């Protein structure tokens, strides 16, 4: 079974590569990357729900009614002075104005009188005013802080100031107002890359001083905390020590901040929903003017009041909850976040990329050590689990975990690991193919050597028998022969042990390859819905199956069909290879073009070029018209080369040239013609063994063997037998116009037990015969005519009739047909064949020797043709040729030692007394062809 082995180092490299790839992407397109990440933040924020609002925070806003009363544009500062005075008298604990006043009032708005009134009102209460600053995180130097403001601001250590964004422009309230204010704070704020206001810098560096945010200054004033008692730890928290709460308690308030000292605003909700209570400016003005002190105290006593000067139609900002909100509303939410301590922490960059690395490592490990579908499921579950944790971390832990970077790294790790494992699988299969090819070659060499040694040992046995019969030769000569034979027997035993070891190694490698093939369908178990869909799809193309291995092949075929990679379909005859080839064509982008099937075994060798490449009229005898070969017929379409393993070696070279060059040359034509075909091949033979044994070209193998689909034989998918049998009965009954017929349970059980060497084709023939021969409407077990396993298959492979006597029927003691079949099954291993038959090895050898003589005579002395007729399989031809040549050459040498044909025939018959009588006619023919002029030189060679 193919097991994925992976080292921790490889997993770390994959995880690191995935993380670095995402980091590079984030660095290349930071705005896009950040906007996507921030979108997940807003989604989590909305899912989390709005924060709670502190009842101490109140807004006084400028609405349309206020504009109608006091006019549009900038109002007279005396209006604010009266409201501030009224609020102070009503018990407001802190008052803040979000309107920047850098210069004295112009004449049209009260001139200095209005400013004096405002300064006087400011000095009577705890009023906080804004400082307009320009800040930049990348600025090299900060602006000069006016002395008037410097003594009002806290000083931080140089190390802390380096963490803060520096102010590049500072513009405070006009001096008199700045002096009378209870506190000052900056109103610098910049949105994130998507234009949404989520953070505010709690402090901005200004030389040796730090300017607090207006919201921080308001909170400090409200909590009665001096600015120099505010502690800022970038990346941790902003702390207000010994804060005096409205209920009289004192404690330290703390909200988290990021590495740049920025506070993440926890919005209490939407402006349009009244998340923070707000009153109209004109209504407050009227209450003050009318002296409604009780009402004012109820509304503002002990409160923090924010005066929003900007008209509601301007100064609009985006928040995570809405597209348009006043800037003063954002300021109020900054204060509310501090007072309610609802701030959230952001993960540090180290945490972000650490999480990305950890998730990518987990995903890589899941894909690498688990089956593909299970690994992908585990990686997906890991990603979903992290997403759930990231969503829950905000409400329950106040932590904003990154989403995009870790999940993108996880996805990248999944893709990289899938690519790596696929490459590993391809490399391992390639290595297994090479190892198997090497073992096939070694085995072929050993088998040839063994055949030679067996033949030589037999020849020496004959000579020993002859020497023993000749008393005149003496005992010494016999002893020498015996020693020679004993030595050869030792060599033979050693060769057989070596062969056994080689075969054992080959079986181990073949078991690994078989386990890999078997393991693939197990890994591809399908959900029931997908299983049903695949079965329906297969049925639509005439493929009836419930077998997972076949369904996996079908699923692989659908993916592979879209590419231009050659496809090799492997499987025994009758397993449906052509149906799969047709489906490949249908699923490809060449479906509208021709599908041309070619049975390579049926193409006559002398007409190969004409059939495949075409010919011109008159190019040879019988060419009465121009002919487009199969390649030209399949131009732009699919060419199905069925039984490609049966193509002769010399013709393989011609096919390879066309596949490599993409052009064909018609017979009789000098002009090459380009062809564009997608090649799908099929064979029931072991092509790697063919490469080792020399009957299939290695370069052609790698040209046509792209994606491999291996169809299991019917005996390995017995669950499909009843399904196919019922369908064949239905088709045959409908075709013959007969009444309905059915199979009995006994017949179905008999069909399920049958080995079906001919696969689906044999099953169909069996069912067809049963439909014809059945007497009633029920097909019984007897109607199937399945007497014993193997009766439906030929006892001998193709070519058995040449050089093989059929005398004796199926009795192996008399019939060479059964014997030759067993020899082929055992690759002409005499010992294995003898063990199967329960014979002595010499008996099998004598029978094979006789068949070799007979085949050589029938082939008129052509050893290659004679060997091929006996071998049946091209892979065994060379091995049989070795044995045949040895037997014939030895017979010729024996006959050449006699003075005449008559004495040679008599002597050879005497020497070959254990040879069956039916082969002596072939022996006599070989003897008569032997030359007696060169005594002792063996006459005509069997290899000629």
């Amino acid at each position: 079974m193919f097991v994925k082995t992976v080292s921790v180092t490889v997993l770390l490299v994959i995880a690191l590569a995935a993380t670095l790839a995402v980091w590079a992407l984030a660095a290349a397109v930071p705005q896009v990357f950040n906007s996507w990440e921030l979108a997940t933040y807003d989604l989590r924020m909305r899912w989390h729900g709005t924060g709670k609002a502190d009842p101490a925070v109140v807004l006084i806003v400028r609405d349309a009614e206020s504009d109608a009363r006091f006019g549009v544009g900038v109002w007279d500062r005396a209006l604010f002075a009266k409201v501030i005075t009224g609020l102070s008298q009503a018990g407001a604990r802190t008052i803040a104005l979000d309107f920047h006043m850098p210069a004295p009032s112009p004449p049209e708005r009260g001139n200095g009188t209005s400013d004096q009134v405002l300064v006087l009102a400011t000095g009577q209460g705890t009023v906080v005013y804004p400082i307009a600053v320009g800040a930049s995180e990348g600025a090299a130097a900060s602006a000069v802080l006016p002395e008037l403001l410097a003594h009002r601001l806290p000083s931080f250590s140089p190390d802390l100031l380096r963490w803060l964004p520096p102010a590049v422009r500072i513009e405070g309230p006009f001096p008199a107002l700045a002096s009378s204010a209870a506190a000052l704070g900056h109103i610098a704020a910049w949105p994130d890359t998507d234009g949404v206001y989520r953070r505010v810098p709690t402090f901005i560096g200004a030389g040796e001083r730090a300017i607090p945010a207006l919201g921080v200054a308001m909170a400090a004033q409200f909590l009665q905390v001096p600015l120099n008692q505010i502690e800022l730890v970038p990346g941790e928290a902003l702390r207000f020590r010994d804060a005096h709460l409205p209920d009289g308690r004192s404690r330290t308030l703390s909200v988290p901040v990021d590495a740049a000292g920025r506070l993440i605003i926890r919005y209490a909700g939407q402006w349009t929903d009244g998340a923070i209570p707000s009153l109209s400016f004109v209504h407050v003005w009227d209450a003050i003017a009318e002296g409604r002190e009780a009402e004012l105290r109820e509304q503002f006593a002990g409160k923090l009041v924010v005066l929003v000067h900007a008209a509601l139609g301007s100064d609009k900002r985006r928040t995570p909850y809405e597209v348009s909100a006043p800037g003063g509303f954002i300021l109020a939410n900054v204060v509310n976040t501090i007072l309610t301590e609802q701030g959230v922490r952001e993960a540090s960059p180290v945490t972000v990329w650490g999480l990305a690395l950890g998730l990518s490592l987990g995903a890589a490990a899941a894909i690498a050590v688990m089956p593909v579908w299970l690994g992908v499921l585990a990686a997906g579950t890991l990603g979903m689990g992290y997403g759930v944790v990231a969503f829950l971390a905000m409400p329950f832990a106040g932590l904003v975990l990154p989403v995009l970077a870790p999940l993108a790294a996880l996805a990248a790790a999944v893709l990289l690991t899938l690519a790596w494992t696929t490459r590993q699988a391809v490399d391992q299969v390639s290595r297994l193919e090479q190892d198997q090819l090497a073992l096939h070659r070694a085995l072929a060499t050993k088998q040839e050597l063994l055949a030679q040694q067996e033949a030589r040992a037999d020849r020496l046995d004959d000579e020993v028998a002859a020497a023993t019969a000749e008393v005149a030769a003496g005992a010494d000569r016999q002893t020498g022969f015996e020693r020679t034979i004993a030595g050869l027997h030792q060599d033979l035993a050693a060769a057989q042990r070596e062969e056994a070891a080689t075969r054992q190694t080959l079986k181990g490698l073949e078991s690994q390859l078989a386990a890999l093939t078997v393991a693939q369908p197990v890994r591809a178990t399908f959900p029931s819905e997908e299983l049903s869909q695949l079965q329906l799809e297969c049925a639509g193309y005439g493929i009836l199956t419930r077998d997972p291995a076949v369904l996996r092949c079908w699923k692989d075929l659908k993916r592979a069909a879209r590419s231009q990679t050659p496809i090799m379909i492997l499987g025994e005859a009758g397993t449906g290879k052509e149906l799969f080839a047709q489906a490949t064509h249908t699923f490809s982008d060449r479906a509208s073009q021709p599908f041309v099937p070619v049975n390579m075994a049926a193409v006559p060798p002398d007409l190969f070029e004409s059939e495949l490449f075409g010919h011109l009229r008159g190019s040879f005898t019988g060419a009465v018209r121009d002919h487009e070969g199969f390649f030209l017929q399949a131009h732009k379409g699919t060419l199905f080369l069925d039984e490609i393993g049966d193509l002769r070696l010399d013709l393989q070279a011609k096919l390879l040239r066309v596949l490599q060059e993409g052009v064909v040359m018609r017979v009789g034509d000098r002009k090459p013609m380009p062809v564009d075909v997608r090649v799908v091949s099929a064979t029931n033979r072991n092509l790697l063994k063919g490469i080792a044994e020399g009957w299939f070209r290695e370069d052609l193998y790698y040209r046509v063997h792209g994606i491999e689909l291996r169809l299991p034989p019917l005996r390995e998918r017995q669950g499909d037998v009843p399904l196919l049998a019922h369908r064949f009965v239905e088709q045959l009954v409908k075709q013959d116009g007969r009444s309905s017929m059915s199979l009995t349970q006994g017949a179905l059980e008999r069909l399920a037990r049958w080995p079906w060497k001919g696969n689906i084709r044999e099953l169909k023939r069996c069912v067809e015969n049963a439909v014809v021969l059945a007497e009633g409407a029920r097909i019984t077990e007897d109607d199937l005519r399945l007497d014993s396993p193997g009766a439906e298959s030929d006892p001998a492979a193709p070519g058995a009739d040449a050089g093989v006597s059929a005398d004796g029927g199926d009795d192996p003691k008399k019939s060479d047909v059964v014997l030759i079949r067993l020899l082929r099954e055992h690759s002409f291993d005499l010992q294995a064949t003898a063990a199967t038959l329960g014979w002595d090895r010499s008996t099998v050898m004598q029978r094979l020797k006789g068949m070799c003589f007979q085949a050589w005579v029938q082939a008129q002395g052509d050893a290659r043709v004679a060997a091929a007729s006996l071998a049946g399989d091209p892979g065994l031809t060379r091995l049989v040729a070795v044995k045949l040549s040895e037997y014939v050459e030895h017979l010729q040498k024996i006959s050449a030692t006699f003075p005449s044909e008559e004495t040679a025939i008599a002597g050879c018959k005497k020497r070959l007394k254990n040879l069956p009588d039916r082969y002596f006619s072939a022996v006599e023919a070989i003897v008569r062809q032997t030359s007696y002029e060169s005594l002792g030189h063996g006459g005509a060679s069997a290899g000629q």
Side-chain angles (χ1 to χ4, degrees), residues 43-102:
L43 180 63
R44 284 177 281 172
M45 187 68 75
R46 289 192 290 270
W47 176 81
H48 181 192
T50 56
K52 62 183 180 180
D54 193 309
V57 181
V58 180
L59 283 167
I60 298 178
V61 300
R62 174 179 174 175
D63 56 6
E65 187 178 355
S66 302
D67 283 344
R69 173 83 64 87
F70 302 112
V72 297
V74 180
W75 288 345
D76 192 314
R77 293 173 182 172
L79 296 175
F80 295 106
K82 185 173 181 178
V83 171
I84 288 172
T85 300
L87 293 174
S88 298
Q89 292 174 353
R93 188 162 179 169
T94 300
I95 304 168
L97 185 65
D98 74 337
F99 177 47
H100 180 225
M101 303 177 189

Side-chain angles (χ1 to χ4, degrees), residues 443 447 498-508 826-827 829:
L443 181 58
Q447 286 175 332
E498 186 176 354
E499 180 194 11
T502 304
R503 283 179 177 169
Q504 189 63 33
T505 304
L506 179 58
K507 286 181 180 178
H826 292 290
S827 299
D829 186 325

Side-chain angles (χ1 to χ4, degrees), residues 675-697:
V675 289
D676 175 18
V677 296
R678 199 285 181 76
V679 174
V680 178
S681 306
T683 184
N684 60 359
R685 309 187 64 185
N686 189 334
L687 297 185
L688 284 177
K689 185 178 180 182
I691 295 171
E693 295 174 348
W695 51 266
F696 200 83
R697 294 180 63 100

